[in-house]
């Protein structure tokens, strides 16, 4: 038997194993019965390779994660060296050098002063930790009724029961109800779906921010603990903050003694050209949640970063935060994160994003000549394309058309045409999300535009 035959047999066995035994995340399990499950076998730079050897441009950085690109030897070597030295030890009343050094670095790079870092293994756990910390903070400061959270419609903040209660996607929650009580929703900043404000973005931003104060007052300021907001909202398709929005939100939170949480699980570590996107958008939160790009995906880690105000009552005698994760602050992950942050700094990837974000935007905007493309929006290396049935009226698709596009056609067609990105149906609006590795440049932008143009032309034809 030749090596090619052995390789083909192995690929077939892997595909069968995936179909029969792998419970894929956010996926319909019957899809493997209808068509082969895509199998990514290796990656290098900005490209993925499947079991058939096809080269596919990674237009989503895996899952908004692989900032520095695939196949970075120095990150693999950092993991191997740390595993040989100390593969595991918890941070439950003890510390390891990588965890201590990473906490110091994140604390110094986050805005505000006196920052402390609580490590998790991912973003949902960081959000869960932030809500628990906010509740305990107010109990320790004599306001025990403050426990509720305000977040935005369509926003995704994670899948644990608490984080899911903060998430603003009803379809994602219905199968797991009842959830943790206390989550409440306000409008998001999707200007495309608020044409009544026209180009008056400042008025729209103030209107959207004032809905947060309205919700706080309706629930009772003595019961609201925190407002959770992404700098650029992911779910629904890259809703950027209007001018003045976060300044107004910060004023509202201060007025009513409510903690402002910046959920930067996607937005941190260069996605918007800064270590933390709140710096770019001009606000100082009380808590930051982050994960994904911290290690460029080479090892799992997440974090909750709290400022001096929030940590103060936890420093009092005999106070503890009765919360933790076995693998939070894992020494291998912490070592990889330090190496990744060094790499981002050494290669100037934050500045690269700032220098090229307008080029990326201009390239994507060429797609607006297609009838199916209604809006292009985003910031940095984080963009969304909203698809519409009728461009003039901004009418979205029927449920049957959304099913055809999002679940039956676009994912497979984009892969077949050489691009990995994401099609999503959130609240009836169909969007394609793009977040390429930060090492991408104009050549990759052009390739993304060309593949999408071909794929969306096909989509128009089938509709």
């Amino acid at each position: 038997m030749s090596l090619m035959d052995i390789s083909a047999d192995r690929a077939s066995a892997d595909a069968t194993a995936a179909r029969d035994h792998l419970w894929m995340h956010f996926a319909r399990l019957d899809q493997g019965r209808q068509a082969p499950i895509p199998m990514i076998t290796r990656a290098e730079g900005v490209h993925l390779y499947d079991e058939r050897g096809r080269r596919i441009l990674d237009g989503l950085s895996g899952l908004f994660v692989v900032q520095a690109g695939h196949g970075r030897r120095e990150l693999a070597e950092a993991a191997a060296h740390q595993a040989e030295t100390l593969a595991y030890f918890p941070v439950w009343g003890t510390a390891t050098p990588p965890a201590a050094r990473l906490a110091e670095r994140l604390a110094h790079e986050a805005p505000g002063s006196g920052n402390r870092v609580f490590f998790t293994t991912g973003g949902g756990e960081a959000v869960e930790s932030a809500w628990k910390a906010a509740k305990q903070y107010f109990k320790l400061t004599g306001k025990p009724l403050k426990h509720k959270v305000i977040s935005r419609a369509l926003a995704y903040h994670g899948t644990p029961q608490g984080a899911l209660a903060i998430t603003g996607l009803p379809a994602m929650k219905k199968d797991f109800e009842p959830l943790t009580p206390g989550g409440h929703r306000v409008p998001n900043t999707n200007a495309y779906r608020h044409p009544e404000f026209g180009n008056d973005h400042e008025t729209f931003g103030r209107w959207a921010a004032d809905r947060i104060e309205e919700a706080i007052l309706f629930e009772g300021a003595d019961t609201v603990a925190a407002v959770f907001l992404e700098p650029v909202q992911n779910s629904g398709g890259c809703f950027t903050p209007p001018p003045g929005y976060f300044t107004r939100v910060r004023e509202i939170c201060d007025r009513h003694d409510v903690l402002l949480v910046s959920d930067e699980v996607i937005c941190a570590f260069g996605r918007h050209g800064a270590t933390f996107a709140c710096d770019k958008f001009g606000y100082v939160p009380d808590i930051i949640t982050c994960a994904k790009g911290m290690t460029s995906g080479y090892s799992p880690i997440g974090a909750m970063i709290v400022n001096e105000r929030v940590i103060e009552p936890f420093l009092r005698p005999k106070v503890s935060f009765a919360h933790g994760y076995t693998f939070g602050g894992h020494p291998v992950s912490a070592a990889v994160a330090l190496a990744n942050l060094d790499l981002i700094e050494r290669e100037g990837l934050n500045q690269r994003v700032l220098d090229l974000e307008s080029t990326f935007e201009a390239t994507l905007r060429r797609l607006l000549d297609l009838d199916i493309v209604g809006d292009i929006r985003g910031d940095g290396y984080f963009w969304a394309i909203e698809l519409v049935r009728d461009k003039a009226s901004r009418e979205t698709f029927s449920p049957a058309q959304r099913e055809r596009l999002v679940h039956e056609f676009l994912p497979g067609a984009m892969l077949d045409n050489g691009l990995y990105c994401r099609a999503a149906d959130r609240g009836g609006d169909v969007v394609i999300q793009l977040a390429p590795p930060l090492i991408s440049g104009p050549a990759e932008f052009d390739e993304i535009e060309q593949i999408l143009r071909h794929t969306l032309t096909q989509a128009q034809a089938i509709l």
Side-chain angles (χ1 to χ4, degrees):
M1 181 179 291
S2 68
L3 290 177
M4 186 176 294
D5 290 335
I6 293 172
S7 178
D9 287 347
R10 180 67 265 176
S12 177
D14 289 342
T16 300
R19 182 195 66 197
D20 294 344
H21 301 293
L22 179 61
W23 195 336
M24 294 175 293
H25 298 200
F26 284 100
R28 297 176 176 181
L29 293 185
D30 67 343
Q31 74 179 71
R33 307 290 172 182
Q34 300 167 2
I37 296 170
M39 188 79 67
I40 303 301
T41 58
R42 67 183 184 93
E44 182 178 356
V46 299
H47 288 99
L48 312 167
Y49 296 85
D50 68 8
E51 76 284 3
R52 290 184 279 169
R54 294 186 303 176
R55 193 180 80 156
I56 301 163
L57 179 62
D58 186 355
L60 202 65
S61 298
L63 195 60
F64 315 103
V65 170
V66 190
Q67 318 294 63
H70 299 277
R72 301 304 296 255
R73 181 179 294 275
E74 56 265 56
L75 300 185
E77 289 176 345
H81 176 72
Q82 183 57 48
E84 290 174 346
T85 305
L86 176 65
Y88 173 75
F89 206 76
V91 292
W92 292 42
T94 56
T96 65
R101 293 168 192 160
L102 181 59
E104 180 183 40
R105 183 162 188 170
L106 294 176
H108 287 165
E109 294 200 23
S113 59
N115 295 318
R116 293 284 182 121
V117 180
F118 182 93
F119 286 116
T120 68
T121 58
E125 290 177 355
V127 170
E128 193 87 357
S129 301
W131 193 1
K132 292 178 74 173
K135 288 180 179 180
Q136 187 173 354
Y137 166 81
F138 283 113
K139 286 180 170 60
L140 292 170
T141 55
K143 298 183 178 181
L145 295 181
K146 291 176 80 70
H147 69 283
K148 297 174 184 175
V149 164
I150 307 296
S151 61
R152 295 184 289 200
L154 300 185
Y156 174 81
H157 292 284
T159 55
Q161 287 283 299
L164 194 56
I166 300 173
T167 290
L169 293 160
M172 192 172 288
K173 299 188 290 185
K174 62 184 179 63
D175 290 333
F176 310 108
E177 293 173 329
L179 301 175
T180 304
H184 301 274
R185 234 63 59 213
V186 295
N188 56 49
T189 59
N190 183 1
Y192 183 68
R193 290 298 169 188
H194 284 280
E196 67 271 22
F197 289 97
N199 292 321
D200 190 351
H201 299 301
E202 288 192 22
T203 298
F204 174 53
R206 187 177 183 89
W207 174 85
D210 285 349
R211 302 289 72 74
I212 294 174
E213 183 167 42
E214 186 178 83
I216 291 171
L217 294 174
F218 180 81
E219 293 299 325
D222 60 337
T223 71
V224 178
V227 172
F228 278 67
L229 303 173
E230 298 160 276
V232 175
Q233 182 175 319
N234 167 44
S235 188
C238 292
F239 303 150
T240 55
Y245 175 77
F246 275 113
T247 299
R248 178 68 172 160
V249 172
R250 181 72 269 181
E251 292 171 355
I252 291 167
C253 289
D254 289 342
R255 181 180 304 124
H256 299 291
D257 193 18
V258 171
L259 300 180
L260 175 55
V261 181
S262 188
D263 184 355
E264 305 210 13
V265 171
I266 287 176
C267 293
F269 308 114
R271 184 55 54 192
H272 296 281
T275 300
F276 294 104
C278 55
D279 275 335
K280 183 176 186 179
F281 294 109
Y283 66 100
V284 179
D286 300 296
I287 300 175
I288 295 173
T289 56
C290 56
K292 292 186 183 289
M294 196 189 310
T295 66
S296 284
Y298 285 70
S299 192
I301 197 168
M304 167 183 67
I305 307 170
V306 306
N307 66 10
E308 188 173 33
R309 170 196 178 188
V310 176
I311 198 62
E312 186 279 327
F314 291 93
L315 299 177
R316 297 172 187 172
K318 299 183 180 180
V319 173
S320 67
F321 185 37
H323 179 62
Y325 299 101
T326 299
F327 296 110
H330 194 287
V332 173
S333 294
V336 173
L338 287 165
N340 180 60
L341 295 176
D342 285 343
L343 189 159
I344 289 173
E345 182 177 347
R346 184 173 65 251
E347 298 189 358
L349 294 185
N350 283 341
Q351 189 59 49
R352 179 180 179 82
V353 170
L354 296 177
D355 290 343
L356 292 176
E357 61 180 342
S358 60
T359 303
F360 193 17
E361 176 183 7
T363 304
L364 292 177
R365 287 197 175 278
R366 298 202 300 251
L367 295 168
L368 286 168
D369 66 355
L370 297 176
D371 291 339
I372 198 173
V373 175
D375 193 29
I376 307 281
R377 54 181 179 257
D379 180 88
Y381 273 33
F382 188 35
W383 290 83
I385 301 167
E386 182 163 342
L387 307 182
V388 292
R389 182 177 183 175
D390 182 86
K391 202 161 190 166
S393 67
R394 306 188 183 188
E395 179 188 358
T396 190
F397 302 97
S398 68
Q401 289 174 319
R402 296 200 303 270
E403 173 73 16
R404 180 80 174 98
L405 277 172
V406 174
H407 297 290
E408 297 176 9
F409 176 72
L410 283 173
M414 288 189 292
L415 272 182
D416 288 342
N417 292 331
L419 176 65
Y420 168 71
C421 59
R422 191 178 189 191
D425 173 7
R426 294 289 183 257
D429 298 331
V430 175
V431 295
I432 293 175
Q433 295 170 298
L434 295 160
L438 310 187
I439 61 173
S440 305
E444 287 75 33
F445 303 159
D446 285 338
E447 187 177 353
I448 288 170
E449 188 271 340
Q450 291 162 13
I451 293 172
L452 285 176
R453 177 173 296 278
H454 177 61
T455 306
L456 294 177
T457 300
Q458 291 177 312
Q460 286 180 168
I462 68 164
L463 290 174

